[in-house]
Amino acid sequence: DAGVIQSPRHEVTEMGQEVTLRCKPISGHNSLFWYRQTMMRGLELLIYFNNNVPIDDSGMPEDRFSAKMPNASFSTLKIQPSEPRDSAVYFCASSLASIGGNQPQHFGDGTRLSIL
Amino acid sequence: RKEVEQDPGPFNVPEGATVAFNCTYSNSASQSFFWYRQDCRKEPKLLMSVYSSGNEDGRFTAQLNRASQYISLLIRDSKLSDSATYLCVVNRGGTYKYIFGTGTRLKVLA
């Protein structure tokens, strides 16, 4: 079975450029999560969707970050303009979630982002 | 106080040893609990869910103590390949949100 698929695996770009990260969740999962991980701050939840609707974006660091989920099989996280402090590993995860929430999340391989 | 707390370690143990990690959570409405494993520069991977009655998967045993609000992970007969960071994850009741601990580093020594 295909897991969560993220692209690109690595991205190196210059400060000020737009960065778009992509995620395809596991088929049938109804919740999608974007995380950022750094050595200093650990794993941070940025935003999550349920049934393609953003539920909580309180973790999005600032207006330069935006996320969309136009359909059940695709989501994007965009950073515009990018800054060096955005360098991190960005993970996408999906789950079959309910309010009872007893299904675990499954993570993609992550996108390693370096902003020069 | 963080909603989910773990001892960051590192725990350095010899091969064959038994090691246990605890994780405390503050929200009494939490309903689902998991242990994940994360290797360096890799994604977190589900190790096991934690059930109310406790559960075992091979060398790994997970326990839940709702009264004291903690979960535990016991690893028996540690292998070199068990070296990783172990993340405690709690799902808040009434939401879809999963709260991650900062992880406990384990290093199994030859």
Side-chain angles (χ1 to χ4, degrees):
Chain A
D1 288 342
V4 176
I5 299 172
Q6 290 187 246
S7 64
R9 291 292 302 276
H10 299 88
E11 175 92 12
V12 181
T13 192
E14 292 188 346
M15 183 173 70
Q17 297 298 306
E18 178 179 291
V19 173
T20 299
L21 310 181
R22 297 173 177 80
C23 176
K24 177 179 168 57
I26 291 173
S27 177
H29 281 187
N30 63 354
S31 290
L32 183 141
F33 305 78
W34 282 102
Y35 292 88
R36 176 172 70 175
Q37 188 172 38
T38 62
M39 288 292 292
M40 291 296 294
R41 301 173 70 95
L43 194 65
E44 301 174 276
L45 176 64
L46 301 177
I47 185 171
Y48 71 97
F49 298 81
N50 182 259
N51 293 325
N52 312 339
V53 176
I55 302 298
D56 184 349
D57 65 355
S58 60
M60 296 286 260
E62 48 197 276
D63 291 346
R64 298 185 297 106
F65 285 68
S66 62
K68 293 182 179 179
M69 191 164 186
N71 57 61
S73 59
F74 184 65
S75 177
T76 59
L77 177 68
K78 192 169 290 188
I79 309 172
Q80 167 63 19
S82 57
E83 296 182 3
R85 60 194 168 119
D86 301 330
S87 299
V89 181
Y90 290 81
F91 289 109
C92 177
S94 71
S95 71
L96 181 59
S98 66
I99 288 292
N102 58 353
Q103 299 298 319
Q105 295 180 316
H106 297 270
F107 283 76
D109 291 340
T111 294
R112 298 193 175 282
L113 178 63
S114 295
I115 309 297
L116 307 178
Chain B
R1 183 187 172 191
K2 291 182 180 177
E3 189 165 345
V4 176
E5 293 203 75
Q6 295 182 253
D7 181 341
F11 285 60
N12 295 324
V13 302
E15 264 188 297
T18 295
V19 61
F21 311 133
N22 279 347
C23 165
T24 58
Y25 61 95
S26 60
N27 190 326
S28 59
S30 299
Q31 295 185 356
S32 303
F33 308 88
F34 310 94
W35 282 104
Y36 280 72
R37 169 197 170 124
Q38 186 172 26
D39 293 286
C40 189
R41 301 176 70 81
K42 297 279 194 177
E43 77 277 17
K45 290 185 177 177
L46 178 68
L47 180 64
M48 58 197 304
S49 301
V50 185
Y51 303 120
S52 296
S53 55
N55 48 298
E56 189 174 304
D57 183 1
R59 298 182 293 108
F60 299 85
T61 300
Q63 297 278 353
L64 168 63
N65 185 317
R66 285 193 184 271
S68 301
Q69 293 184 198
Y70 74 86
I71 66 173
S72 63
L73 177 68
L74 181 79
I75 305 175
R76 289 182 300 278
D77 188 22
S78 299
K79 311 289 184 193
L80 294 175
S81 58
D82 294 333
S83 298
T85 296
Y86 290 84
L87 298 163
C88 166
V89 183
V90 173
N91 174 248
R92 279 186 196 161
T95 79
Y96 304 105
K97 196 170 180 176
Y98 298 76
I99 311 299
F100 280 73
T102 52
T104 297
R105 280 186 59 201
L106 171 67
K107 190 166 184 180
V108 181
L109 307 171

